[in-house]
Amino acid sequence: MIFNPHKLGVHKVLQHIPLNGLFDAPYKRALQKAVNIADLRTIAKARSHKMVFDYLDAGADDEISLRRGKDAYSELEMHFKILSGLKPPLDLSTKIFGMDVNLPFFGCPTAGNRMFHWEGEAAAAKASEKFGTLYGLSSLATTGIEEIGSIHSGPKVFQLYVWKDRELVRDVISLAKEGGFGALALTVDFTWYGNRERDIRNDFSIPPKYSVPQMMEAIRKPAWTYDFLSHEPYTYACINKEVPADSLAAFVNSQIAPEFDWNDAEWLLGEWNGPAAPKGVCRPEDAKKAVEIGFSSIWVSNHGARQLETSPATIDVLPSIREAVGPDVEVIMDGGVQRGTDIAKALALGADSVGVGKPYLWGLAAGGEAGVSKAYDILKVELDRAMGLLGTGTVDQLKKEGPSLIKRRGASIRDYPDRYALDRGYGGGIV
């Protein structure tokens, strides 16, 4: 480390010199012109330090699961109905964790939001409040539970890792309850830290190590750099505000508990005593066991393809998990979502709601709260259009009729004999 500008108090000087607007002006103009989530990613990449953008953008190892997770949606066709007599506006409202929301999608809890933009989790919470949907806060957030509770008055879910220190777990979930969080998501696919090779190549650290390569990159990205240098250094605000966020991987590896098992999950449910989901389920038998021990919901996820390489695309395993737990257990799904049509497909194939991660974080990195709101607005408009064109006027109707509307590309009567026989008027049962 050559020097640490925050320890020298540089931010206390720069916060009185309002140059952020100057540096961010071109990105604000680009944000206004953005028409889809891919545009937000392009703006985020242009504005962000390479180390930070790659941390957000990357998957594990060769990023095969990352690509497959997105491509899986393109293999699903939407077999729309006609002359459905729908009258706008459509009803996108539903329930998540038993709580009323205006949208069937929400921003997943994600770590360290202030590394992308100084507004951090507060920006995401404000956008969620604006759109009337669930907000998810990570236990590795850089904004505290109390602050988020004062910003977002609506439904909230708190995400928890399987920490070794049970007293830490008790303290955190107690704070979450006091902060108005009505549901808990236990991340169960993070018992080892995934191999994210872009981070290794970039010598990723939180905060930057101020090496020559990182400082050169900072000079090339003045909007992000001035943002970072003119604000207080961030910490893991939900765990200990006094501990600087020096290294995400080192902290997680020191606290994560690989030995955490089903008995520990039962203990946690007893401590929480409220709506809860295991986040990171991809096998039907695990989903069934989770329900048996007391989880109220199932969260299908592969951690954004950032953990086990070649783990399956979540949209591919979703139908089998829905079948395993039956129609009455809430199923949440995230992974690979880039379009409103992706959300529609997930709802149709068994999800009660859909979490998005990268889309809103690209928005955050592109322009703070305005960028997150842009991401929500894009997805809302796309979902509304998809439902209208499919011929479904409500989320409940989409979920009910979904299996007849979504089919795998190239599927034939040999693949789905009963469904295709009924669809084609053959009377059923023809092979």
Side-chain angles (χ1 to χ4, degrees), residues 119 121-131 135 151-152 369 373:
E119 295 177 16
E121 291 84 1
K126 289 175 183 176
S128 297
E129 174 87 352
K130 175 182 175 182
F131 283 85
Y135 174 70
I151 292 170
H152 192 290
E369 181 188 350
S373 291

Side-chain angles (χ1 to χ4, degrees), residues 338-402:
Q338 305 278 300
R339 288 278 190 180
T341 49
D342 299 340
I343 295 171
K345 290 172 182 178
L347 295 171
L349 292 177
D352 291 296
S353 63
V354 179
V356 298
K358 285 181 170 62
Y360 89 87
L361 290 178
W362 285 326
L364 176 63
E369 181 188 350
V372 180
S373 291
K374 185 77 172 186
Y376 274 106
D377 191 55
I378 288 169
L379 292 173
K380 178 183 178 182
V381 170
E382 290 181 346
L383 174 59
D384 182 87
R385 181 188 303 118
M387 288 174 57
L389 290 171
L390 275 169
T392 54
T394 67
V395 173
D396 284 343
Q397 184 185 3
L398 175 58
K399 290 191 293 186
K400 181 180 180 180
E401 299 182 12

Side-chain angles (χ1 to χ4, degrees), residues 396-427:
D396 284 343
Q397 184 185 3
L398 175 58
K399 290 191 293 186
K400 181 180 180 180
E401 299 182 12
S404 70
L405 298 173
I406 309 299
K407 297 181 173 65
R408 186 165 300 279
R409 183 172 179 268
S412 67
I413 192 170
R414 186 182 300 277
D415 299 311
Y416 301 107
D418 294 335
R419 180 190 299 174
Y420 271 71
L422 290 170
D423 287 350
R424 297 177 184 183
Y426 295 145

